[in-house]
Amino acid sequence: MNTLVESRQSVVELMQVSKAYGEVEVLGNVTLSLGAGEVVALVGDNGAGKSTLVKIVSGYLMPTSGRLVVGGREVRFASPREARRCGIETVYQDLAIIGQLSLWRNFFLGQEMRRKSLGLRVLDRSAMRSICLERLRDFGLESVHSPDQLAASLSGGERQTLAIARAVHFESRLLILDEPVASLSVREVRRVHDTIDQARTRGLGILYIDHNMNHVVPVADRIAVLERGRLKTVVHRGEVSAADLADLLA
Ligand SMILES: Nc1ncnc2c1ncn2[C@@H]1O[C@H](COP(=O)(O)OP(=O)(O)OP(=O)(O)O)[C@@H](O)[C@H]1O
Ligand SMILES: [Mg+2]
């Protein structure tokens, strides 16, 4: 296997990644790569190891063994901050959007733009406000009138869209979505899936976790099936129906 060539095309590669708690192995020798502009869905029963895998890639957990390669380089994340610095952004179901802050504040949280004023570095509010609005419009949030609106005014799907637009703006290379649509209406799910399509078009790699096979099948380029911590199979788009997939998991 020519790993060098493979690494150049992939945004993230897991090589023989395992995680054990004492004697109990919850993830065993998982090898999986994800390319730029590709959506890989990760499915499996409760306790299969999906969140464990996500936490390893997003820097919350260290693997017990195995290697993680991001953008062609082997990495060892000691914290989620380090993973973010490598362009890995994770969006959870109960994500870090703060309702009582404005949209633009949420958009730039922790990554604020600054300008010089009388020799001081002050927040560049007007730049952040206009960029935020522009980006949200790019992602089809037509209902947003002002970047000063509170994030609490957004629906669940719109919040997910805000988080994804933010990841795209800050040039993340890998976007991890752990059950992003679990509590959304059909219409909102469609919005999030449209947003994922847009992010894919912009070249992000996307790791998508969802329990609902009807959600997974239309968005995923490949579907990785985990079973008790082991990668059981990886299927390509069009190879299985949602019903087949549900059977496979049963
Ligand atoms: N800190 C821990 N100590 C021991 N076992 C753990 C720990 N964290 C997770 N596990 C175990 O690891 C296994 C995988 O858990 P994980 O959360 O990755 O599953 P999952 O596929 O995300 O499940 P779900 O679909 O329910 O979210 C489970 O059996 C869980 O009990
Ligand atoms: Mg989980």
Side-chain angles (χ1 to χ4, degrees):
M1 183 174 70
N2 189 337
T3 26
L4 254 184
V5 171
E6 265 197 9
S7 327
R8 226 173 280 139
Q9 300 161 336
S10 65
V11 291
V12 65
E13 282 176 79
L14 291 100
M15 293 168 166
Q16 305 275 315
V17 169
S18 300
K19 178 72 187 175
Y21 292 102
E23 301 275 279
V24 184
E25 190 176 69
V26 297
L27 212 54
N29 285 325
V30 172
T31 295
L32 181 68
S33 79
L34 201 153
E38 186 182 36
V39 179
V40 172
L42 191 59
V43 303
D45 216 349
N46 294 116
K50 304 180 296 295
S51 292
T52 302
L53 190 153
V54 163
K55 284 177 191 158
I56 287 171
V57 178
S58 56
Y60 284 91
L61 276 181
M62 286 275 228
T64 311
S65 62
R67 300 199 295 142
L68 192 61
V69 174
V70 175
R73 278 203 188 161
E74 184 164 356
V75 291
R76 264 171 192 285
F77 297 140
S79 70
R81 179 187 285 258
E82 285 186 18
R84 276 188 94 176
R85 229 182 271 138
C86 266
I88 295 173
E89 198 71 38
T90 308
V91 174
Y92 296 99
Q93 180 188 342
D94 46 350
L95 44 82
I97 297 289
I98 302 168
Q100 292 319 303
L101 290 182
S102 67
L103 298 181
W104 72 267
R105 275 293 197 172
N106 271 287
F107 195 92
F108 286 95
L109 204 61
Q111 302 179 84
E112 288 81 4
M113 293 170 71
R114 294 183 185 271
R115 63 183 171 83
K116 277 259 173 74
S117 171
L118 303 171
L120 293 173
R121 282 169 56 74
V122 298
L123 290 181
D124 194 346
R125 289 164 195 274
S126 71
M128 287 189 279
R129 293 173 77 251
S130 70
I131 289 170
C132 171
L133 191 60
E134 199 178 302
R135 284 305 195 172
L136 296 184
R137 289 274 153 78
D138 286 350
F139 275 89
L141 285 196
E142 304 298 342
S143 63
V144 168
H145 300 296
S146 158
D148 296 321
Q149 241 171 275
L150 292 185
S153 66
L154 299 182
S155 72
E158 289 169 341
R159 287 179 200 209
Q160 297 289 350
T161 296
L162 170 68
I164 295 169
R166 181 169 66 182
V168 170
H169 176 74
F170 289 103
E171 298 186 335
S172 304
R173 55 175 124 207
L174 175 68
L175 183 60
I176 303 176
L177 301 159
D178 196 352
E179 308 245 16
V181 299
S183 55
L184 302 183
S185 69
V186 173
R187 211 176 121 251
E188 290 293 324
V189 170
R190 199 169 308 133
R191 167 185 290 290
V192 175
H193 286 178
D194 286 347
T195 311
I196 290 172
D197 270 336
Q198 263 179 280
R200 168 182 21 217
T201 305
R202 286 163 202 241
L204 271 80
I206 296 160
L207 187 60
Y208 178 85
I209 295 170
D210 199 314
H211 266 99
N212 186 334
M213 295 310 125
N214 292 310
H215 292 165
V216 167
V217 167
V219 290
D221 296 303
R222 284 188 295 144
I223 301 165
V225 182
L226 269 183
E227 192 179 83
R228 277 174 265 125
R230 300 264 162 179
L231 197 57
K232 193 179 178 190
T233 181
V234 180
V235 292
H236 285 81
R237 181 194 282 278
E239 282 178 356
V240 285
S241 65
D244 290 344
L245 202 54
D247 282 347
L248 197 65
L249 288 173

